[in-house]
């Protein structure tokens, strides 16, 4: 880590047990992006928040599932609600269903976030409109643990139109792509359910990537970046 990053990294004093878990995560080796898609492990992520303002709103819940060797590992998932003392606006509660009691009964943010880090490891993260999930997670991790999330991200909002230009859905939402691929989400606007729905779409994209000779994680990143340049301001907002 550079001296500049050390200078601006928040200094959080954690209890010894939590500090050791955070240290163990930091010391995990970074996963090479040259790894073949047939061998790679991805963590598909979705978050629910108190609103869409990435500077002020708070992270409420995290859902994540694993895609490994181009298969969705249904038995490998992570879900948590972060404990919050103050409930958010009623309009947002109606969307994500995390009411005041659920927020008050959630896990301590440090435990919730460390659990996520341990589940994710240093593997590439996948989300739909990933910049939102990345920003909310990174802010919560810095505030609660003094940790920066340095895992690479794949944004399916860019990868979908990059691999399926014939759909003509360049700035569509998650539901639009679910419909296009003929997929049905078990439920929506619950972090883990949305992560599984995103994971189903990701499987379709991995198969198309193989057909187009995009066979490594770095090749998917390049496709995302190329598509992002075609969509000014793309990637904001939730799923």
């Amino acid at each position: 880590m550079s001296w500049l990053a050390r200078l601006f990294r928040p200094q959080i004093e954690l209890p010894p047990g939590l500090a050791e878990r955070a240290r163990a995560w930091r010391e995990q080796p970074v996963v090479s992006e040259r790894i073949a898609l047939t061998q790679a492990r991805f963590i598909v992520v979705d978050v629910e928040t108190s609103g869409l303002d990435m500077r002020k709103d708070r992270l409420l819940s995290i859902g994540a599932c694993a895609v490994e060797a181009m298969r969705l590992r249904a038995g490998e998932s992570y879900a948590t609600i972060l404990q919050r003392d103050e409930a958010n606006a009623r309009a947002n509660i109606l969307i994500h269903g995390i009411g005041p009691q659920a927020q008050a009964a959630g896990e301590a943010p440090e435990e919730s976030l460390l659990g996520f880090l341990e589940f994710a490891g240093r593997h590439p993260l996948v989300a739909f409109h990933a910049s939102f999930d990345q920003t909310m997670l990174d802010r919560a991790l810095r505030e609660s643990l003094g940790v920066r999330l340095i895992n690479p991200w794949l944004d399916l909002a860019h990868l979908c139109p990059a691999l399926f230009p014939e759909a003509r859905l360049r700035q569509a939402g998650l539901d639009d792509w679910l419909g296009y691929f003929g997929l049905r989400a078990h439920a929506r606007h619950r972090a883990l359910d949305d992560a599984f729905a995103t994971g189903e779409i990701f499987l379709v994209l991995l198969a198309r990537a193989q057909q187009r000779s995009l066979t490594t994680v770095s090749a998917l990143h390049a496709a995302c970046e190329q598509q992002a340049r075609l969509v000014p301001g793309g990637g904001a907002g939730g799923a």
Side-chain angles (χ1 to χ4, degrees):
M1 179 180 295
S2 70
W3 69 268
L4 193 61
R6 290 181 183 276
L7 179 64
F8 288 101
R9 188 175 71 183
Q11 298 300 310
I12 305 295
E13 292 293 332
L14 296 173
L18 297 182
E20 174 60 24
R21 291 167 63 189
R23 183 196 62 78
W25 177 80
R26 286 193 185 99
E27 292 182 354
Q28 291 184 44
V30 176
V31 178
S32 172
E33 293 191 28
R34 296 180 180 179
I35 189 170
L37 299 181
T38 53
Q39 299 176 342
R41 179 179 175 88
F42 299 90
I43 303 301
V44 186
V45 183
D46 188 80
V47 302
E48 298 296 336
T49 63
S50 61
L52 297 178
D53 189 328
M54 292 186 285
R55 296 171 300 174
K56 298 180 181 179
D57 284 307
R58 300 174 301 166
L59 183 67
L60 297 182
S61 70
I62 309 168
C65 59
V67 170
E68 187 171 4
M70 300 184 66
R71 297 182 63 182
L72 182 60
R73 305 293 185 177
E76 298 181 35
S77 62
Y78 181 76
T80 185
I81 295 176
L82 283 69
Q83 186 179 72
R84 300 298 188 190
D85 295 329
E86 297 180 5
N88 57 289
R90 177 177 175 80
N92 288 320
I93 292 173
L94 292 174
I95 294 174
H96 52 60
I98 307 173
Q101 291 184 331
Q103 292 179 43
E107 288 189 283
E110 296 83 359
E111 286 288 349
S112 286
L113 293 163
L114 272 171
F116 169 72
L117 290 179
E118 289 166 342
F119 178 74
R122 290 300 188 94
H123 297 284
L125 304 177
V126 178
F128 198 95
H129 286 150
S131 62
F132 182 81
D133 302 75
Q134 181 179 7
T135 299
M136 297 304 292
L137 277 167
D138 191 58
R139 202 182 92 204
L141 285 162
R142 286 187 286 111
E143 290 175 352
S144 295
L145 300 176
V147 168
R148 292 186 182 277
L149 188 60
I150 61 173
N151 300 47
W153 285 80
L154 283 171
D155 191 343
L156 297 200
H158 296 317
L159 194 58
C160 282
L163 296 181
F164 285 87
E166 67 271 24
R168 300 183 183 277
L169 294 173
R170 287 182 58 180
Q171 298 190 58
L174 182 64
D175 288 314
D176 298 308
W177 284 105
L178 286 169
Y180 180 77
F181 293 130
L183 300 172
R184 295 184 62 184
H186 174 70
R188 285 285 278 113
H189 302 297
R190 304 291 186 274
L192 186 57
D193 291 323
D194 283 356
F196 272 114
T198 305
E200 293 282 358
I201 290 177
F202 189 44
L203 295 181
V204 177
L205 300 181
L206 288 173
R208 172 60 70 93
Q210 290 286 87
Q211 294 171 3
R212 295 196 168 191
S213 299
L214 303 176
T215 59
T216 64
V217 176
S218 61
L220 292 189
H221 276 294
C224 279
E225 291 171 0
Q226 183 177 9
Q227 182 65 31
R229 289 193 289 268
L230 300 177
V231 185

